[in-house]
Amino acid sequence: MKKVSFFQSIHLKFVLVYILLILIAMQIIGVYFSRQLEIQFKENFQNSISDRVNLLSYSIEEAMLKERDDDDPTLEKDVYDILRGYSSEDILEVQVININQRIIGTSKAENQNIVGQRTTNAQVKRSLVVGIAENDIFRDDTGRRVWIVANPIEAKGEILGTIYLMADIESVFNQLQEINDVFANGTIIALTISVVLGILLAQAISRPISDMRRQALAMAKGNFSRKVKVYGLDEIGQLALTFNNLTKRLQEAQASTEGERRKLASVLAYMTDGVIATDRRGRIILINESAIGLLNVSRETALSQQITTLLGIEDKYTFEDLINEQESVILDYSTTHKPYILRANFSVIQKDTGLVNGLIAVLHDITEQEKIEMERREFVANVSHELRTPLTSMRSYLEALSDGAWKDEEIAPRFLEVTQTETERMIRLVNDLLQLSKMDSKDYRFSKEIVDFTIFFNRIIDRFDIIKEQHVTFTRELPSKAVFVEIDEDKMTQVLDNVISNALKYSPEGGNITFRLEEESDQIKISVSDQGVGIPKDQVNKIFDRFYRVDKARSRKLGGTGLGLAIAKEMVEAHGGKIWAESKDEVGTTIFITLPYERTDEDDWA
Ligand code: ADP
């Protein structure tokens, strides 16, 4: 904020107002006062002159009315005698004029030549005619102000002449001027004092206001530590107190808002769901870390985009559609290799007036959920399919039998054998399913024991060696010493039975199966390699999935359920081990199994 210039400042305004007030007051007082003074002074002066004129008038009248002999001095002489003593400092000249307008005497010595002449003075003439005293102020030749009086001399109602008097009234005006000067000086002094006082007063008022202004500026920058100094308890002091109080309240409000903001920010930062907020036009204004991770974008790119663009749904939805969307929207970003599905829920931010202020989208990763759901559906479909196939074939054989084939001694036993095989396969399938479902429910129990795996493995191979139907040779690469491992014998037998029977199933006539047992630092590695048909590379990992079979028809013909390796995987993993396959098409397959192992000195068991 810019600084207040001197010309806009309260200082100047105060000083100007003071000066104007003083000037107006002084002017009014001055005009009235000097006017009164002038009247009074003039009156005093004129009164004093008039008194003297009256006295003179009386003496002149005496002289005029006097009965004169020849030896008596003339009237002019008497008048001259009377007037001679009349010149004073303030009376400049006194003339006596008779009724015939002739000057019969003057007090001014150098003017004696005018005695006997007719007067030219208009006032004198008028006073002689009208018989009323005339007076006025004029400026004489030197520019000096003079008061001129023409006072008629009356006796018994008859005008005898007039006295003409010229008085110096300049002194009165000089006195007035002096008083006015004193007054003007007083005004200047008063103005100077009022300027100083005005500045001081303006400062007293403006200082707390400037303080408040500075504090308001500091507050705008987030600094609430300042306090306005309170100079007194007048209105400005009260304002300063209120301002300080306001600062405190604002600070508290700010602190609580800041606290709420931090809480919200940490909730948003640490929540696993993604949160995106937009403005009322759909432009993203906030995106949390989870959303950035889920959508795999940078914050900068996200913040400049529309929400529909960011979510990649601009073809299907507009921002208005999202505002009105009640249901959640499924965002499927799956590729052929990887499923990736998000669920988005939208809620609208509205003002009190009902106007839409923005949108909040909450993203939730539902890939796992969807995968499980898909697997469940697939599983149910698989189970139904696996059960329907044997049942359909059994129904057709039984129908044929009941249609009369039972009488045929050659066909009947074959048909019955097929139904028996199918029934057994179904029983196996149901048993496998039961076993899987038991393992899925976590209360499945193992009874583990320490077993010499070399003996255990040899025994199983021996059994297969005896019962095998094809011409397949067995190669054993097993250690000669004992390898003690903690296993559930029954379960592990089931695992190996499955792996070995698969190897036999898919081995060609005259093939070879190699059994290996290797001791590693913290595990044993068992492998069964055949020289069979092998498994295509892209399907090697899938053979452990439930119902997955590379060649469905062939597997079914060989009596497989497609669950054997899935069960084996569950069991090996329940032992803390791993199972996987390596295979080359038309070359052979190796199934590897690892189990946790703690190497012990043979002596301990000897
Ligand atoms: P099945 O009961 O069909 O044998 P499994 O779960 O045991 O079910 O095996 C799943 C599928 O894995 C089989 O159908 C087969 O296609 C494939 N498979 C398993 N072992 C071998 C092997 N040794 N050689 C070739 N293919 C195999």
Side-chain angles (χ1 to χ4, degrees), residues 432 498-507 528 530 532-535 539 542-545 547-552 554-556 558-567 583 588-591:
D432 281 355
N498 189 272
V499 172
I500 298 169
S501 63
N502 275 346
L504 274 172
K505 256 193 266 178
Y506 299 102
S507 275
V528 178
D530 62 52
V533 288
I535 305 162
Q539 297 179 39
K542 292 187 179 162
I543 60 169
F544 299 96
D545 292 351
F547 294 112
Y548 194 86
R549 280 169 293 195
V550 179
D551 181 347
K552 280 210 160 64
R554 186 164 170 207
S555 158
R556 218 173 270 128
L558 295 170
T561 59
L563 291 173
L565 285 178
I567 295 173
S583 182
T589 307
T590 304
I591 304 287

